Amino acid sequence: MSEKLKVLILEDVPLDAELVIRELQRDGIEFEHLTVDSEDSFRRALEEFSPDIILADHALPSFDGVSALRIVRENYDIPFIFVSGKIGEEFAVDMLKAGATDYVLKNNLSKLPLAFRRALQEAEEERKIKKARKALEESERKYRALFEKSGNPIFICSTDGIILDVNPAAAGFLKSFREDIIGRNIREWIHEEDADRIFRDGEGGHLKFRVGLRGRTLDTSVTAVELDHEKLIYIMGKDVTAQKRIEKELKSSKEEYRVIFENTGTLTVICGSDMVIELANSAFEEFSGYSKGEIQGYMKFTDFVDASDAARIEAYYRLKAINPDAIPHNFEVVLRNRQGEERNFFATSVVIPGSERCLISLMDITHRKSVEKRLRRSLREKELLLREVHHRVKNNLQIISTLLMLQASTTGDKRLRDLYRDSQHRIDAISLIHEKLYESKDLSRVNLRDYIKTLLSDLLDSYGADSNGIDVRVKVDDVRLNIETAIPCGLIINELVSNSLKYAFPDGKGEITVEVHSTGEGYEMTVSDNGVGLPEDLDLEGSGTLGLRIVRNLVEQIDGELEIERPARFTIKFTEVEYRRRF
């Protein structure tokens, strides 16, 4: 055996278990084993050890082989051999009926290897039988599902025409019940000449036959099958009555179709699988500069396609041969006529049902493409101009910031220098908005997370905050705001974080948290710190300090609501502000 077998031994006498193991090893059987002597250990071994075969004593002090066999047969498919010192014939027969594979007496262990191998072989054969049976049942289930669910009529007949079975579609086609059809001869429903063709030779083929006097037609495939030494005739069909009626109607409306084809108002052609134009209307003839006699049957559609589009259109046609649904039904193409004039067209391509031909309708969009080109050029110019405006505004604000910094350096008054620095930070916050817009692909919206991180980094550098002492945490959703909303938000954060950096941490250590989250209906922005907290004498509901008045004014600009909590937590709920005209 190529792999080691797992043998589970249910035995309470160690010497007996050792004798069993030696007898199997003496016969050259390679295996690993586990010996148990109680119900708990037996159940655990079934789950964890996963034995290939079980050798069980008949009776144990707290457990017995009969109970073990019942457990195995209820939950597992494992060969089970009784190895007992004394077992009666009647008991042995009962155990074999209960599912035991074999039994061996302990005083005759020489028979154990043979019973062991035979049990494994029988188990393997049983597994193969079950697998084959399961595959057969699955095959029969799939066949029955296909047979019953098929929308096309299926008849199973004997060679003399007796109907053995029909699917629901066949019963519906015959306007009858399945029980009323089985046992009757199919010749009752079809013409004699059609029946002769089906059953004369009993061979397969493709044919059409008409049903009764209703004038209905079934397009069928007939197959003869040998099954259990019996020949059966499978008739699988498709009801083409409606199709025949439509074909007749189409034939009668051929002239109407030609009138429509000629007067669609677009250039229209019908091409074969090789792209040769089989039919062209007068509009295409007029554009091309060729007569219909020169075009139809001789020239390909790609003969008129500009070289820049030729490879793409040829690829469409190659793909159509593999999968017609894979190619686009609408596409733009540039066509060149006999005089070398190029024009843009919007093409609609559809495959004509039941053929490999396709109809292509071409709408002239040359003027529209020219207008679109001018609009795109104008849009690019405006985008470049707007980007330059942001760049210049940013530069001018940075110049003002620099002037304030230089002005502050000329005074020895610390209070005045702080005022200059506060103004500088506010200008920097606005300047940073324009810088982010200038660098962004979207000139109308600011990535708030990226903006806040840069703003806070600049503030820390400006105040000289020790990066190891003050920890700034940013928890911002992927929020993008227009400039009308982003500037007030940036100024609010600038005021509140600047205030924390100046007053909240006398010992130079602490944590500042800035959060912005989307609430579905709007946004919620929170700025907090774990410093000394707001002064007790600060009027939170009144005007308060200049910084607090600025914050309140900025919150009003974005139609927000401000909530202040001690020790130091500011929460602003707001929605995005629409653009307001300034003049």
Side-chain angles (χ1 to χ4, degrees):
M1 298 182 182
S2 57
E3 296 181 0
K4 279 192 174 183
L5 296 165
K6 292 183 178 181
V7 181
L8 177 60
I9 302 173
L10 179 60
E11 176 62 71
D12 62 323
V13 180
L15 180 59
D16 287 351
E18 183 65 27
L19 290 174
V20 168
I21 294 167
R22 287 184 181 180
E23 192 64 36
L24 294 176
Q25 290 175 339
R26 183 182 296 115
D27 200 65
I29 299 173
E30 294 186 9
F31 63 94
E32 54 180 303
H33 62 86
L34 177 65
T35 302
V36 296
D37 60 2
S38 66
E39 181 178 353
D40 289 342
S41 60
F42 181 74
R43 288 182 180 274
R44 190 165 54 252
L46 289 173
E47 292 292 331
E48 300 175 0
F49 185 60
S50 300
D52 295 302
I53 189 169
I54 298 171
L55 306 179
D57 194 1
H58 169 217
L60 289 83
S62 61
F63 194 41
D64 62 89
V66 177
S67 299
L69 175 61
R70 186 171 57 255
I71 293 169
V72 171
R73 289 296 165 257
E74 287 176 355
N75 302 284
Y76 303 92
D77 186 17
I78 305 172
F80 193 102
I81 299 177
F82 276 104
V83 182
S84 180
K86 186 177 181 181
I87 186 171
E89 287 292 334
E90 185 177 345
F91 175 80
V93 172
D94 290 341
M95 289 302 99
L96 291 175
K97 288 180 180 180
T101 310
D102 207 342
Y103 69 92
V104 176
L105 297 176
K106 290 183 179 180
N107 59 9
N108 197 8
L109 286 179
S110 60
K111 291 185 177 181
L112 180 59
L114 178 61
F116 186 94
R117 293 180 188 275
R118 185 170 59 233
L120 289 174
Q121 183 178 358
E122 289 177 358
E124 180 63 24
E125 291 175 355
E126 182 64 24
R127 278 192 289 269
K128 289 181 180 178
I129 291 171
K130 287 184 178 180
K131 184 177 180 180
R133 185 181 297 117
K134 184 177 180 181
L136 179 60
E137 290 174 354
E138 180 67 14
S139 177
E140 290 178 352
R141 186 187 65 79
K142 289 180 179 178
Y143 162 76
R144 177 52 59 179
L146 290 172
F147 181 77
E148 294 290 339
K149 300 298 182 183
S150 174
N152 294 324
I154 302 175
F155 302 84
I156 302 176
C157 303
S158 62
T159 53
D160 56 359
I162 299 299
I163 299 174
L164 305 176
D165 201 0
V166 294
N167 69 345
F173 181 78
L174 296 182
K175 303 294 184 183
S176 187
F177 293 104
R178 177 175 178 271
E179 295 77 11
D180 297 332
I181 299 171
I182 294 175
R184 296 168 64 179
N185 199 302
I186 199 170
R187 293 174 184 272
E188 296 180 28
W189 286 277
I190 62 177
H191 290 208
E192 190 63 33
E193 61 271 21
D194 292 330
D196 288 342
R197 289 190 304 171
I198 294 173
F199 298 106
R200 181 175 53 231
D201 301 318
E203 298 297 333
H206 185 82
L207 55 90
K208 292 181 176 65
F209 64 80
R210 291 158 296 170
V211 177
L213 299 177
R214 297 189 182 94
R216 302 179 67 195
T217 304
L218 195 67
D219 189 355
T220 67
S221 173
V222 180
T223 306
V225 178
E226 288 282 350
L227 187 64
D228 295 333
H229 307 294
E230 179 184 7
K231 179 178 282 189
L232 301 178
I233 306 298
Y234 281 74
I235 303 174
M236 288 162 280
K238 178 181 180 183
D239 189 350
V240 293
T241 307
Q243 179 181 329
K244 288 294 182 182
R245 185 183 68 252
I246 292 171
E247 288 175 357
K248 184 177 181 180
E249 292 173 355
L250 286 175
K251 187 175 181 180
S252 65
S253 62
K254 183 176 181 180
E255 188 57 35
E256 294 178 11
Y257 155 75
R258 183 168 291 279
V259 171
I260 294 171
F261 182 79
E262 285 290 339
N263 297 278
T264 59
T266 62
L267 282 64
T268 309
V269 294
I270 294 177
C271 299
S273 59
D274 54 0
M275 290 188 289
V276 172
I277 298 174
E278 298 180 0
L279 198 62
N281 70 353
S282 299
F284 188 88
E285 179 185 37
E286 181 180 352
F287 163 76
S288 70
Y290 295 90
S291 67
K292 291 183 180 179
E294 293 176 292
I295 298 171
Q296 295 173 168
Y298 296 99
M299 300 185 72
K300 293 185 176 183
F301 179 69
T302 47
D303 292 337
F304 299 95
V305 176
D306 186 72
S308 60
D309 285 340
R312 176 168 57 90
I313 302 303
E314 288 176 356
Y316 287 165
Y317 271 85
R318 286 195 299 271
L319 185 59
K320 181 177 73 69
I322 302 171
N323 182 6
D325 295 330
I327 67 171
H329 294 295
N330 301 108
F331 53 89
E332 293 184 7
V333 63
V334 178
L335 300 185
R336 183 193 298 267
N337 64 14
R338 193 171 197 165
Q339 292 75 35
E341 178 190 2
E342 292 183 351
R343 299 191 71 80
N344 297 91
F345 291 90
F346 179 80
T348 300
S349 174
V350 293
V351 176
I352 297 175
S355 74
E356 294 184 356
R357 299 180 300 162
C358 68
L359 182 144
I360 304 175
S361 176
L362 300 151
M363 182 186 297
D364 192 338
I365 57 170
T366 306
H367 176 69
R368 192 189 80 184
K369 295 294 286 186
S370 176
V371 172
E372 287 178 356
K373 186 176 181 180
R374 290 199 301 271
L375 287 175
R376 281 196 297 269
R377 183 169 58 248
S378 175
L379 183 61
R380 283 197 299 270
E381 291 172 355
K382 287 180 174 61
E383 184 178 315
L384 289 173
L385 178 60
L386 184 56
R387 198 177 293 277
E388 181 62 22
V389 168
H390 283 304
H391 184 58
R392 289 181 180 271
V393 170
K394 185 260 299 185
N395 286 346
N396 290 336
L397 289 172
Q398 286 182 344
I399 290 172
I400 296 172
S401 175
T402 302
L403 291 174
L404 288 172
M405 181 179 65
L406 292 174
Q407 187 68 40
S409 65
T410 63
T411 180
D413 187 336
K414 181 180 183 302
R415 178 176 173 279
L416 192 57
R417 284 201 307 272
D418 288 343
L419 291 175
Y420 277 126
R421 183 170 63 177
D422 290 343
S423 298
Q424 180 188 350
H425 290 159
R426 291 164 188 146
I427 291 173
D428 288 342
I430 300 173
S431 172
L432 185 58
I433 291 283
H434 291 279
E435 181 179 346
K436 293 299 181 184
L437 288 172
Y438 170 72
E439 295 172 350
S440 172
K441 292 182 179 179
D442 185 353
L443 293 174
S444 64
R445 309 188 78 77
V446 177
N447 185 317
L448 202 61
R449 181 191 297 159
D450 181 39
Y451 168 69
I452 290 174
K453 286 183 177 180
T454 306
L455 176 64
L456 296 177
S457 176
D458 291 347
L459 282 174
L460 288 174
D461 290 342
S462 175
Y463 281 98
D466 186 352
S467 60
N468 294 322
I470 298 179
D471 183 18
V472 178
R473 298 191 176 184
V474 179
K475 302 176 183 178
V476 181
D477 293 346
D478 186 12
V479 174
R480 297 175 185 273
L481 299 177
N482 60 27
I483 190 171
E484 297 287 311
T485 313
I487 287 179
C489 287
L491 290 172
I492 290 170
I493 293 171
N494 176 78
E495 293 297 326
L496 297 176
V497 173
S498 294
N499 188 69
S500 295
L501 291 172
K502 287 191 290 185
Y503 305 115
F505 310 112
D507 58 354
K509 294 183 179 180
E511 181 179 291
I512 301 173
T513 302
V514 178
E515 300 183 51
V516 181
H517 300 293
S518 174
T519 62
E521 298 180 354
Y523 304 94
E524 182 174 289
M525 179 168 65
T526 305
V527 180
S528 61
D529 65 59
N530 63 351
V532 297
L534 298 172
E536 292 298 329
D537 58 350
L538 178 65
D539 182 10
L540 300 183
E541 301 299 328
S543 59
T545 63
L546 174 62
L548 188 55
R549 290 200 301 274
I550 292 174
V551 169
R552 291 188 184 278
N553 288 334
L554 291 169
V555 171
E556 289 179 5
Q557 287 185 30
I558 56 176
D559 299 329
E561 297 177 3
L562 173 63
E563 180 181 339
I564 306 175
E565 301 174 75
R566 295 184 184 276
R569 182 181 179 86
F570 296 82
T571 302
I572 299 97
K573 296 179 181 179
F574 65 97
T575 56
E576 190 170 24
V577 179
E578 296 296 329
Y579 174 76
R580 297 190 181 99
R581 295 191 63 174
R582 302 303 195 275
F583 52 86

